[in-house]
Amino acid sequence: MALLSRYLLGLLTGALLLAGVTASVQVPTSEPATTSKQTRAAAAPPPTRDLDRSPASPPPAAAPTPVWVVGAKPLPRRQDGYGVVRATPPELVDRQLPTVDRLDPPKSGSFESTISPVSPQVLARSTWQPGCPVPANKLRYLTMSFHGFDGRVHTGEMLVNADVAQTVVGIFAQLFAANFPIEEMRVTAAPELNLPPTGDGNNTNAFVCRQTPGQTHWSAHAYGLAIDLNPFHNPYILGDLVVPELASSYLERNRVRPGMALAGTPAVTAFEAVGWTWGGRWSAPVDFMHFSATGH
């Protein structure tokens, strides 16, 4: 009996061992419930539509439309020295370019201004020279707030005759209150007078020491007694000449766009209320940008 018992016990033990070996080599058909998401991720790639994954990244945004670079495309010259007049590029038909800040914007966001003598540093970067018809001590350096086409408030600079400095500040205070947009307002530098024509300039300025185009006498600008306002939006016209040369779209004065000087609007009313003449009322040339204290 003892021998038989030991024999049966051996058979049972062998059966158990055999069963254990077989269990140890079986591959499970499903993962244990206790396996974590992190373990799954490490063990195998996630399924294609695993809800635990982050949403797919959005497609890259389209590249922004390039901004027109002012002064980058010289025009061939006409015999009179101006650029060849060409159709307005689509980007400039409704011109609302952002303003480059050269001076700090007003901290208050309100209209701010200063009037001061012209420093040697400012004079050196202007068109003034000893042969100009106005002495340097008769000019004043203005800084004034203005609204840009970009919806922001900026600080501009201007040289004017001392006799009209306070009047000019008052005019631009009215333009600011009316939210009239201006693209650029800076002192004109001497090298600009000889640059190749590009036909896309739009600097609102006053003093420029030059003669009247096509004439031998000094312009009112050379005395600091005239202002050109948004020249591209308000071009000069004489015969087949348009200045700026790419601004032909703005000869359509019934197609009203921001920045245009039009009869009865704040831009014109503010100047005419203090006795300045608007070139937009002239017959030839017609100079929509031009406002003058002298009538010329």
Side-chain angles (χ1 to χ4, degrees), residues 125-129 131-134 139 157-161 186-194 203-213 217-228 231 289-290:
R125 60 182 177 85
S126 75
T127 59
W128 189 89
Q129 54 187 337
C132 293
V134 60
L139 293 173
E157 60 175 4
M158 185 180 291
L159 296 182
V160 300
N161 194 293
R186 60 174 176 77
V187 172
T188 302
E192 295 181 64
L193 300 182
N194 298 315
N203 182 33
T204 294
N205 63 357
F207 173 76
V208 181
C209 190
R210 62 170 174 78
Q211 294 181 336
T212 300
H217 59 270
W218 291 107
S219 162
H221 287 282
Y223 296 89
L225 294 173
I227 291 173
D228 287 343
M289 71 181 79
H290 186 80

Side-chain angles (χ1 to χ4, degrees), residues 39-57:
T39 303
R40 291 205 306 270
T48 303
R49 296 189 59 82
D50 188 345
L51 298 180
D52 295 320
R53 297 176 63 191
S54 299
S57 300

Side-chain angles (χ1 to χ4, degrees), residues 79-249:
Q79 290 185 347
D80 57 12
Y82 290 99
V84 173
V85 176
R86 290 186 171 166
T88 303
E91 301 94 322
L92 301 181
V93 168
D94 184 5
R95 180 169 177 156
Q96 299 192 46
L97 299 183
T99 295
V100 176
D101 283 315
R102 292 177 170 85
L103 300 174
D104 291 336
K107 294 181 179 179
S108 66
S110 302
F111 182 80
E112 298 178 7
S113 64
T114 65
I115 302 175
S116 61
V118 185
S119 69
Q121 292 79 10
V122 172
L123 200 66
R125 60 182 177 85
S126 75
T127 59
W128 189 89
Q129 54 187 337
C132 293
V134 60
N137 62 6
K138 278 288 291 179
L139 293 173
R140 293 293 180 268
Y141 177 67
L142 311 182
T143 65
M144 299 180 289
S145 306
F146 66 91
H147 292 283
F149 288 91
D150 50 16
R152 299 167 52 227
V153 176
H154 305 273
T155 299
E157 60 175 4
M158 185 180 291
L159 296 182
V160 300
N161 194 293
D163 292 342
V164 299
Q166 194 63 57
T167 297
V168 170
V169 169
I171 290 170
F172 279 88
Q174 292 182 57
L175 297 185
F176 186 89
N179 291 310
F180 181 83
I182 295 172
E183 182 180 320
E184 185 178 24
M185 187 193 300
R186 60 174 176 77
V187 172
T188 302
E192 295 181 64
L193 300 182
N194 298 315
L195 288 176
T198 59
D200 56 359
N202 203 21
N203 182 33
T204 294
N205 63 357
F207 173 76
V208 181
C209 190
R210 62 170 174 78
Q211 294 181 336
T212 300
Q215 305 292 327
T216 58
H217 59 270
W218 291 107
S219 162
H221 287 282
Y223 296 89
L225 294 173
I227 291 173
D228 287 343
L229 181 66
N230 282 345
F232 197 91
H233 298 83
N234 304 293
Y236 169 101
I237 313 147
L238 181 61
D240 65 346
L241 176 63
V242 178
V243 179
E245 294 91 337
L246 298 182
S248 297
S249 170

